[in-house]
Amino acid sequence: MPRLDARVKTDLVGEAQCTGKSPDCSKKVIIKELSLSSALIQGLSECGEYVRIMQKLPDGQKVEIEGEVVRTENDIAGLELYHSDMATMEILWDNIRGEVSCQNVCPYCGAEKPIGTTLCHICNTPLDFDDDNYLKKHFRHTFLDRVKSRIDKLDTGHLEKVIKVINKEILKGKGHPAEDEFIGTSPAMLDVFAMIRKVAPSDVNVLVLGESGTGKELTAKAIHERSPRKDKPFVAINSAAIPEGLLEAELFGYEKGAFTGAHAQRKGKFEQADGGTVLLDEIGDMPTGLQATLLRFLEDRIVERIGAKGGKKVDIRIITATNCNLAEMVRQGRFRNDLYYRLDGFTINLPPLRTRGEDVVILAHYVLKSIARNDNSPAKRFSPAAIDIIKSYDWPGNIRELINKVRRGQLMADGTDIEPADMGLQDVIAEAPPGTMKHEVANIQRKAVEKALQDHRFIITRAAKMLGISRPSLYALMKKHNIAKPNLGAEVMS
Ligand SMILES: Nc1ncnc2c1ncn2[C@@H]1O[C@H](COP(=O)(O)OP(=O)(O)OP(=O)(O)O)[C@@H](O)[C@H]1O
Ligand SMILES: [Mg+2]
């Protein structure tokens, strides 16, 4: 490891003051050697660990340098200098630089220095001491070196945190805004981020799969924002939210008089998004008739408004999302095979929140802060019991549910602490954290119960029989795992 700075012989007389144990001590000292970050000083004995040295330099300028004694040998103390301001550094450098250049060895690592080189071929340190920008270059080099030596010790989780600190604290939002808000440090989410970055620059169709509330739309937006289309529109359309009869008009638009109620001509979503990206959300709910029309459009990219003669070519990237098992729907003949293969250029699977480890707590804090910021109110705090529940609850509605519960907590908590009851989670028993045997067993149990109920369309007697347990036991397990009959789902979620 090369030394940080080149040290030069000086033999300067200065005046030292202790700033630590015996602040009154003041004495004459000799600075034997000096660099930008350290000094060897004679005559410091009996001074404390922290000293300040007033020094008149050979060029007549006065500097005040502070530091800590890190070792002492035969009345010579090694001092590590605190970072002084740049002006002091420049004065120091002016007085050191003349002495540094002379030998043909690198003063940092001792390697033989080929004459005339501006960079050491071994330690890569800049050696062009006469350059007026030398100090700047040198600091950049040494700081980068210090960062690099630490980076090797970091895992991907740490690196993700480093990037967040850089974006939020240092660059203050000058980076990608979407990335700032897309929280994830678990390995599965880091994989998702890597896939987003990989696929974004291309025009490949992307299929985003994941349970409800896992961030499918956020993923689609993140892809768009990292693509060359980022300055063009991002248009999302939810196939499940629009009545079947109106969906085609929404997507393709219509001409005046094309059908009853078409009082004026209207552009469809595909035309509105020209040059940009369209997210076809809940694609699993797209009616079969429209699936054929969509397939045709994907082949020629020509939008033909309903009632129009002829069409217009548009340039859009299609991202689709669904919480259905599309491959299974294809097998069952409920989704067109050819359309599925067209849309599935690249699949991103979003993991459920309950499998994202520590992310759930990080997300909860993040959501709490942003809710408070939006409401212009001080953020409350999660109590330790609330954190336990946040970690052990299954979050069937994923991040969307987390947001709702945290919002409720911030609103309902009387004092500064948010308790489980404030989030409506008082009935959840804190379970073992993910990864433990207890958690894994509970997971298997929940899956078995869910499967039995689904296989028997929530007919409790039959599902209980299949599981080999009594009806009351099944009801108890449904309560424990927060499973409700589908038409009661909304009640259980809130
Ligand atoms: N990793 C994340 N970091 C921060 N916020 C997130 C994250 N994932 C999701 N969200 C937020 O959670 C909410 C739900 O996300 P989104 O709408 O993208 O999910 P979805 O999978 O499309 O949901 P649905 O299936 O209900 O349509 C949004 O407010 C989104 O901003
Ligand atoms: Mg969605």
Side-chain angles (χ1 to χ4, degrees), residues 11 77 85 101 113 117 178 250 282 335 339 362 401 403 408 478 492:
D11 273 335
D85 54 288
S101 58
K113 173 189 163 221
T117 50
E250 273 294 310
E282 314 295 358
F335 198 85
L339 180 60
I362 299 172
E401 187 187 6
I403 295 171
R408 186 180 152 153
M478 285 169 67
V492 173

PDB file of all heavy atoms in Angstrom, residues 11 77 85 101 113 117 178 250 282 335 339 362 401 403 408 478 492:
ATOM      1  N   ASP A  11      13.140  20.221   8.801  1.00  0.00           N
ATOM      2  CA  ASP A  11      13.845  20.841   9.936  1.00  0.00           C
ATOM      3  C   ASP A  11      13.410  22.277  10.203  1.00  0.00           C
ATOM      4  O   ASP A  11      14.225  23.195  10.316  1.00  0.00           O
ATOM      5  CB  ASP A  11      15.384  20.795   9.701  1.00  0.00           C
ATOM      6  CG  ASP A  11      15.940  19.467  10.206  1.00  0.00           C
ATOM      7  OD1 ASP A  11      15.300  18.867  11.100  1.00  0.00           O
ATOM      8  OD2 ASP A  11      16.972  19.017   9.682  1.00  0.00           O
ATOM      9  N   ALA A  77       7.798  12.393  17.413  1.00  0.00           N
ATOM     10  CA  ALA A  77       6.395  11.960  17.402  1.00  0.00           C
ATOM     11  C   ALA A  77       5.868  11.975  15.977  1.00  0.00           C
ATOM     12  O   ALA A  77       6.162  12.895  15.201  1.00  0.00           O
ATOM     13  CB  ALA A  77       5.571  12.887  18.285  1.00  0.00           C
ATOM     14  N   ASP A  85      -8.320  23.091   5.911  1.00  0.00           N
ATOM     15  CA  ASP A  85      -9.036  23.636   4.767  1.00  0.00           C
ATOM     16  C   ASP A  85      -8.089  23.657   3.561  1.00  0.00           C
ATOM     17  O   ASP A  85      -6.862  23.559   3.701  1.00  0.00           O
ATOM     18  CB  ASP A  85      -9.528  25.053   5.086  1.00  0.00           C
ATOM     19  CG  ASP A  85      -8.385  25.913   5.557  1.00  0.00           C
ATOM     20  OD1 ASP A  85      -7.913  25.697   6.699  1.00  0.00           O
ATOM     21  OD2 ASP A  85      -7.927  26.746   4.780  1.00  0.00           O
ATOM     22  N   SER A 101      10.049  16.471  -5.843  1.00  0.00           N
ATOM     23  CA  SER A 101      10.271  15.956  -7.192  1.00  0.00           C
ATOM     24  C   SER A 101      11.634  15.296  -7.438  1.00  0.00           C
ATOM     25  O   SER A 101      11.768  14.468  -8.315  1.00  0.00           O
ATOM     26  CB  SER A 101      10.083  17.105  -8.184  1.00  0.00           C
ATOM     27  OG  SER A 101      10.994  18.125  -7.842  1.00  0.00           O
ATOM     28  N   LYS A 113      11.084   5.305 -10.745  1.00  0.00           N
ATOM     29  CA  LYS A 113      10.203   6.170 -11.529  1.00  0.00           C
ATOM     30  C   LYS A 113      10.828   6.457 -12.888  1.00  0.00           C
ATOM     31  O   LYS A 113      11.851   7.141 -12.959  1.00  0.00           O
ATOM     32  CB  LYS A 113       9.997   7.464 -10.758  1.00  0.00           C
ATOM     33  CG  LYS A 113       9.249   8.523 -11.505  1.00  0.00           C
ATOM     34  CD  LYS A 113       9.286   9.839 -10.739  1.00  0.00           C
ATOM     35  CE  LYS A 113       8.900  10.954 -11.694  1.00  0.00           C
ATOM     36  NZ  LYS A 113       9.702  12.123 -11.511  1.00  0.00           N
ATOM     37  N   THR A 117       7.646  10.581 -16.449  1.00  0.00           N
ATOM     38  CA  THR A 117       6.260  10.094 -16.360  1.00  0.00           C
ATOM     39  C   THR A 117       5.456  10.954 -15.395  1.00  0.00           C
ATOM     40  O   THR A 117       5.977  11.470 -14.415  1.00  0.00           O
ATOM     41  CB  THR A 117       6.180   8.632 -15.875  1.00  0.00           C
ATOM     42  OG1 THR A 117       6.969   8.539 -14.710  1.00  0.00           O
ATOM     43  CG2 THR A 117       6.624   7.669 -16.923  1.00  0.00           C
ATOM     44  N   ALA A 178     -36.755   7.974 -10.115  1.00  0.00           N
ATOM     45  CA  ALA A 178     -37.490   6.726  -9.861  1.00  0.00           C
ATOM     46  C   ALA A 178     -36.657   5.776  -9.018  1.00  0.00           C
ATOM     47  O   ALA A 178     -37.178   5.083  -8.163  1.00  0.00           O
ATOM     48  CB  ALA A 178     -37.870   6.065 -11.169  1.00  0.00           C
ATOM     49  N   GLU A 250     -60.602   2.717 -25.948  1.00  0.00           N
ATOM     50  CA  GLU A 250     -59.564   3.342 -25.110  1.00  0.00           C
ATOM     51  C   GLU A 250     -58.186   3.156 -25.734  1.00  0.00           C
ATOM     52  O   GLU A 250     -57.365   4.052 -25.767  1.00  0.00           O
ATOM     53  CB  GLU A 250     -59.539   2.690 -23.726  1.00  0.00           C
ATOM     54  CG  GLU A 250     -60.485   3.288 -22.700  1.00  0.00           C
ATOM     55  CD  GLU A 250     -60.123   4.722 -22.328  1.00  0.00           C
ATOM     56  OE1 GLU A 250     -58.958   5.008 -22.000  1.00  0.00           O
ATOM     57  OE2 GLU A 250     -61.040   5.540 -22.401  1.00  0.00           O
ATOM     58  N   GLU A 282     -52.714  -5.535 -15.824  1.00  0.00           N
ATOM     59  CA  GLU A 282     -53.719  -6.606 -15.670  1.00  0.00           C
ATOM     60  C   GLU A 282     -54.036  -7.231 -17.028  1.00  0.00           C
ATOM     61  O   GLU A 282     -55.188  -7.424 -17.375  1.00  0.00           O
ATOM     62  CB  GLU A 282     -55.027  -6.084 -15.031  1.00  0.00           C
ATOM     63  CG  GLU A 282     -54.843  -5.198 -13.816  1.00  0.00           C
ATOM     64  CD  GLU A 282     -54.236  -5.906 -12.613  1.00  0.00           C
ATOM     65  OE1 GLU A 282     -53.997  -7.127 -12.721  1.00  0.00           O
ATOM     66  OE2 GLU A 282     -53.960  -5.246 -11.612  1.00  0.00           O
ATOM     67  N   PHE A 335     -55.845 -17.635 -22.374  1.00  0.00           N
ATOM     68  CA  PHE A 335     -55.037 -16.535 -22.915  1.00  0.00           C
ATOM     69  C   PHE A 335     -54.344 -17.038 -24.170  1.00  0.00           C
ATOM     70  O   PHE A 335     -53.832 -18.164 -24.199  1.00  0.00           O
ATOM     71  CB  PHE A 335     -54.005 -16.066 -21.873  1.00  0.00           C
ATOM     72  CG  PHE A 335     -53.452 -14.704 -22.170  1.00  0.00           C
ATOM     73  CD1 PHE A 335     -54.130 -13.567 -21.757  1.00  0.00           C
ATOM     74  CD2 PHE A 335     -52.266 -14.550 -22.893  1.00  0.00           C
ATOM     75  CE1 PHE A 335     -53.629 -12.287 -22.047  1.00  0.00           C
ATOM     76  CE2 PHE A 335     -51.771 -13.291 -23.179  1.00  0.00           C
ATOM     77  CZ  PHE A 335     -52.445 -12.159 -22.757  1.00  0.00           C
ATOM     78  N   LEU A 339     -50.081 -14.567 -28.439  1.00  0.00           N
ATOM     79  CA  LEU A 339     -49.953 -13.249 -27.822  1.00  0.00           C
ATOM     80  C   LEU A 339     -49.006 -13.336 -26.628  1.00  0.00           C
ATOM     81  O   LEU A 339     -48.140 -12.468 -26.432  1.00  0.00           O
ATOM     82  CB  LEU A 339     -51.333 -12.741 -27.368  1.00  0.00           C
ATOM     83  CG  LEU A 339     -51.338 -11.364 -26.703  1.00  0.00           C
ATOM     84  CD1 LEU A 339     -50.792 -10.276 -27.633  1.00  0.00           C
ATOM     85  CD2 LEU A 339     -52.746 -10.965 -26.241  1.00  0.00           C
ATOM     86  N   ILE A 362     -37.235  -1.297   6.149  1.00  0.00           N
ATOM     87  CA  ILE A 362     -36.696  -0.123   5.443  1.00  0.00           C
ATOM     88  C   ILE A 362     -37.831   0.602   4.708  1.00  0.00           C
ATOM     89  O   ILE A 362     -37.972   1.816   4.775  1.00  0.00           O
ATOM     90  CB  ILE A 362     -35.593  -0.558   4.442  1.00  0.00           C
ATOM     91  CG1 ILE A 362     -34.433  -1.224   5.206  1.00  0.00           C
ATOM     92  CG2 ILE A 362     -35.084   0.619   3.623  1.00  0.00           C
ATOM     93  CD1 ILE A 362     -33.382  -1.852   4.330  1.00  0.00           C
ATOM     94  N   GLU A 401     -50.452  -2.459   0.636  1.00  0.00           N
ATOM     95  CA  GLU A 401     -51.048  -2.644   1.964  1.00  0.00           C
ATOM     96  C   GLU A 401     -50.176  -1.987   3.046  1.00  0.00           C
ATOM     97  O   GLU A 401     -50.687  -1.350   3.967  1.00  0.00           O
ATOM     98  CB  GLU A 401     -51.209  -4.143   2.267  1.00  0.00           C
ATOM     99  CG  GLU A 401     -51.976  -4.362   3.558  1.00  0.00           C
ATOM    100  CD  GLU A 401     -52.016  -5.814   4.000  1.00  0.00           C
ATOM    101  OE1 GLU A 401     -51.357  -6.655   3.367  1.00  0.00           O
ATOM    102  OE2 GLU A 401     -52.696  -6.096   4.989  1.00  0.00           O
ATOM    103  N   ILE A 403     -48.326   0.594   2.714  1.00  0.00           N
ATOM    104  CA  ILE A 403     -48.545   2.049   2.665  1.00  0.00           C
ATOM    105  C   ILE A 403     -49.827   2.416   3.419  1.00  0.00           C
ATOM    106  O   ILE A 403     -49.856   3.338   4.229  1.00  0.00           O
ATOM    107  CB  ILE A 403     -48.609   2.541   1.195  1.00  0.00           C
ATOM    108  CG1 ILE A 403     -47.251   2.342   0.518  1.00  0.00           C
ATOM    109  CG2 ILE A 403     -49.027   4.001   1.115  1.00  0.00           C
ATOM    110  CD1 ILE A 403     -47.248   2.580  -0.982  1.00  0.00           C
ATOM    111  N   ARG A 408     -52.328   4.766   8.138  1.00  0.00           N
ATOM    112  CA  ARG A 408     -53.280   4.666   9.242  1.00  0.00           C
ATOM    113  C   ARG A 408     -52.553   4.859  10.581  1.00  0.00           C
ATOM    114  O   ARG A 408     -53.040   5.557  11.470  1.00  0.00           O
ATOM    115  CB  ARG A 408     -53.931   3.276   9.172  1.00  0.00           C
ATOM    116  CG  ARG A 408     -55.021   3.100  10.159  1.00  0.00           C
ATOM    117  CD  ARG A 408     -55.642   1.726  10.056  1.00  0.00           C
ATOM    118  NE  ARG A 408     -56.158   1.399  11.377  1.00  0.00           N
ATOM    119  CZ  ARG A 408     -57.149   0.605  11.594  1.00  0.00           C
ATOM    120  NH1 ARG A 408     -57.738   0.004  10.590  1.00  0.00           N
ATOM    121  NH2 ARG A 408     -57.566   0.373  12.818  1.00  0.00           N
ATOM    122  N   MET A 478     -57.251 -19.956   9.132  1.00  0.00           N
ATOM    123  CA  MET A 478     -57.541 -18.853   8.190  1.00  0.00           C
ATOM    124  C   MET A 478     -57.364 -17.511   8.887  1.00  0.00           C
ATOM    125  O   MET A 478     -56.839 -16.564   8.321  1.00  0.00           O
ATOM    126  CB  MET A 478     -58.967 -18.977   7.648  1.00  0.00           C
ATOM    127  CG  MET A 478     -59.102 -20.076   6.612  1.00  0.00           C
ATOM    128  SD  MET A 478     -60.809 -20.430   6.222  1.00  0.00           S
ATOM    129  CE  MET A 478     -61.333 -18.935   5.398  1.00  0.00           C
ATOM    130  N   VAL A 492     -60.661  -7.852   5.214  1.00  0.00           N
ATOM    131  CA  VAL A 492     -59.502  -8.372   5.933  1.00  0.00           C
ATOM    132  C   VAL A 492     -58.295  -7.471   5.697  1.00  0.00           C
ATOM    133  O   VAL A 492     -57.488  -7.233   6.583  1.00  0.00           O
ATOM    134  CB  VAL A 492     -59.203  -9.816   5.491  1.00  0.00           C
ATOM    135  CG1 VAL A 492     -57.902 -10.306   6.093  1.00  0.00           C
ATOM    136  CG2 VAL A 492     -60.341 -10.708   5.925  1.00  0.00           C
TER     137      VAL A 492
END
